Amino acid sequence: MSKHQKESGGFIAMIVGGLFALIFFTAKFLIQTSILLFFFLFKRPISRALNLERLSTNWQNLSWLYLTTKWIAALFFVQMIGKAVLQFKGTPLHSDRIMLGLVLVSAALACAFVFSIIHWIGQYALDPDVQKKMAGINAERYVQALIEANQQHFPGAQSLHGKLFVFNADMPNEFSVEADHILITERNIFVVETKCKSGTISARADSPRWKVSSKHGDGEMQNALKQAKNAARVLHRQANLPCEIVPLVAIKGNEVQILDGPSNVSTAENIVEIMRAFEQSKPHPKLDPASIQSLLATYIKSDAAAMERHIERAQAARKRAEQAEIVEAASIQ
């Protein structure tokens, strides 16, 4: 075979391969689009009901299983739809054919449902905002489990986790504060702000923002101690608690090192030891954890509207703080 013939054969093979690839990806796109249309309007409620954002955190480890199941469901969907069309095709239509056709359509919809769920999980897995939120939630769950597992070290202690406290509710001067964790012992009340960050954190108590250095680069984070102090101050004042609240910060991440920070800014793994140190070295007069928890519970709101208003106020406060930083850092004269 001549060189020219070989080149021509290679060119034809490339064209044929390209056409097959185009047909494959076009078919894949059409099948995926047609399936997703069935449940497009139900994505948000289904995602919330099945907690798909949380499931997306396992995508990296289970992607082979997810993708295999997804495309098996797609193949069955196409097969069921094809068989259903044959049942409804032609006349006259008998009741048994209609019933079989409806069963096949139902089976196709079930396959489409499975396909859609897995597709949405994959979308959430690739969404950096979702993964950042889930990393924060998982960090809070870790600290909650740590506190509850060690609660026997604090006799009679009561704990609250992930609560929104609203004061002057439904009034023009309504305000609120969120607490990741509260531990009430017979000697102290602790409020813990949990953050998910990896690397080395310069956690100076008076810095507006903390510098973060990791293998992925340098960045910044909010001063979490100021957040914990604000929550502690508001809860103490508004709930008229019998003692001051100890603010703590727990940081969960990979290779976390804290520089220039006070002792109440700690890795999540050590947060219980920090609490035990306060219990031994700075005890208050004996407290009644159950009654304090009941008092705080009167201010807890769990409805979505209250949380939306809280987020709006927090965003507005953050914007004011950023503007204040700009003004303070300016050189006027």
Side-chain angles (χ1 to χ4, degrees), residues 180-249:
D180 292 338
H181 316 279
I182 296 176
L183 180 67
I184 309 161
T185 74
E186 293 180 345
R187 293 186 166 197
N188 286 285
I189 304 174
F190 301 96
V191 62
V192 184
E193 180 71 24
T194 296
K195 295 296 181 184
C196 181
K197 286 290 178 181
S198 297
T200 302
I201 301 168
S202 179
R204 292 178 60 89
D206 56 349
S207 297
R209 300 185 69 80
W210 291 346
K211 293 182 179 179
V212 182
S213 299
S214 70
K215 61 182 180 181
H216 301 294
D218 297 334
E220 290 184 334
M221 64 180 287
Q222 283 185 289
N223 184 328
L225 184 57
K226 285 188 175 182
Q227 291 179 263
K229 286 181 177 179
N230 179 64
R233 184 168 53 249
V234 170
L235 289 171
H236 176 251
R237 182 179 67 246
Q238 296 301 318
N240 195 25
L241 297 177
C243 69
E244 291 184 349
I245 301 176
V246 180
L248 304 175
V249 175

Side-chain angles (χ1 to χ4, degrees), residues 127-329:
D127 188 327
D129 291 334
V130 170
Q131 293 309 301
K132 181 180 179 180
K133 181 179 77 172
M134 293 311 303
I137 291 173
N138 289 335
E140 290 176 13
R141 286 183 175 143
Y142 175 85
V143 173
Q144 176 177 344
L146 201 62
I147 291 172
E148 292 177 347
N150 288 276
Q151 209 157 308
Q152 73 271 14
H153 296 302
F154 309 100
Q158 302 287 328
S159 59
L160 296 165
H161 304 276
K163 300 301 182 183
L164 175 67
F165 299 88
V166 180
F167 305 96
N168 303 329
D170 301 318
M171 297 177 64
N173 61 339
E174 175 183 288
F175 66 101
S176 54
V177 66
E178 199 172 4
D180 292 338
H181 316 279
I182 296 176
L183 180 67
I184 309 161
T185 74
E186 293 180 345
R187 293 186 166 197
N188 286 285
I189 304 174
F190 301 96
V191 62
V192 184
E193 180 71 24
T194 296
K195 295 296 181 184
C196 181
K197 286 290 178 181
S198 297
T200 302
I201 301 168
S202 179
R204 292 178 60 89
D206 56 349
S207 297
R209 300 185 69 80
W210 291 346
K211 293 182 179 179
V212 182
S213 299
S214 70
K215 61 182 180 181
H216 301 294
D218 297 334
E220 290 184 334
M221 64 180 287
Q222 283 185 289
N223 184 328
L225 184 57
K226 285 188 175 182
Q227 291 179 263
K229 286 181 177 179
N230 179 64
R233 184 168 53 249
V234 170
L235 289 171
H236 176 251
R237 182 179 67 246
Q238 296 301 318
N240 195 25
L241 297 177
C243 69
E244 291 184 349
I245 301 176
V246 180
L248 304 175
V249 175
I251 300 178
K252 181 77 173 73
N254 298 320
E255 301 177 354
V256 177
Q257 291 187 1
I258 299 171
L259 302 179
D260 305 321
S263 61
N264 52 330
V265 178
S266 167
T267 59
E269 292 78 7
N270 293 328
I271 201 67
V272 173
E273 290 303 315
I274 304 297
M275 292 176 172
R276 294 180 71 179
F278 272 92
E279 289 284 282
Q280 296 298 321
S281 304
K282 194 179 178 182
H284 290 284
K286 189 171 182 178
L287 305 173
D288 182 356
S291 65
I292 294 174
Q293 184 189 45
S294 298
L295 175 61
L296 289 173
T298 61
Y299 299 102
I300 294 174
K301 296 288 184 181
S302 56
D303 57 289
M307 179 57 74
E308 287 178 5
R309 294 194 299 271
H310 171 73
I311 292 172
E312 288 176 2
R313 287 190 293 267
Q315 289 174 340
R318 191 175 298 116
K319 184 65 176 179
R320 290 193 298 269
E322 290 173 354
Q323 292 172 341
E325 286 180 30
I326 292 171
V327 174
E328 290 174 6

Side-chain angles (χ1 to χ4, degrees), residues 112-123:
F113 183 70
V114 171
F115 182 97
S116 298
I117 287 174
I118 297 175
H119 183 80
W120 296 333
I121 292 173
Q123 286 183 325

Side-chain angles (χ1 to χ4, degrees), residues 21-40 67-82 108-109 111-117 119-120:
L22 179 62
I23 293 170
F24 172 78
F25 285 110
T26 300
K28 179 182 176 182
F29 173 79
L30 291 175
I31 292 171
Q32 178 171 291
T33 303
S34 61
I35 291 175
L36 294 175
L37 284 174
F38 280 104
F39 299 101
F40 174 75
L67 291 174
T68 301
T69 306
K70 175 181 175 180
W71 290 109
I72 288 176
L75 290 173
F76 273 106
F77 170 82
V78 173
Q79 186 179 20
M80 294 300 106
I81 286 294
L109 288 174
C111 294
F113 183 70
V114 171
F115 182 97
S116 298
I117 287 174
H119 183 80
W120 296 333

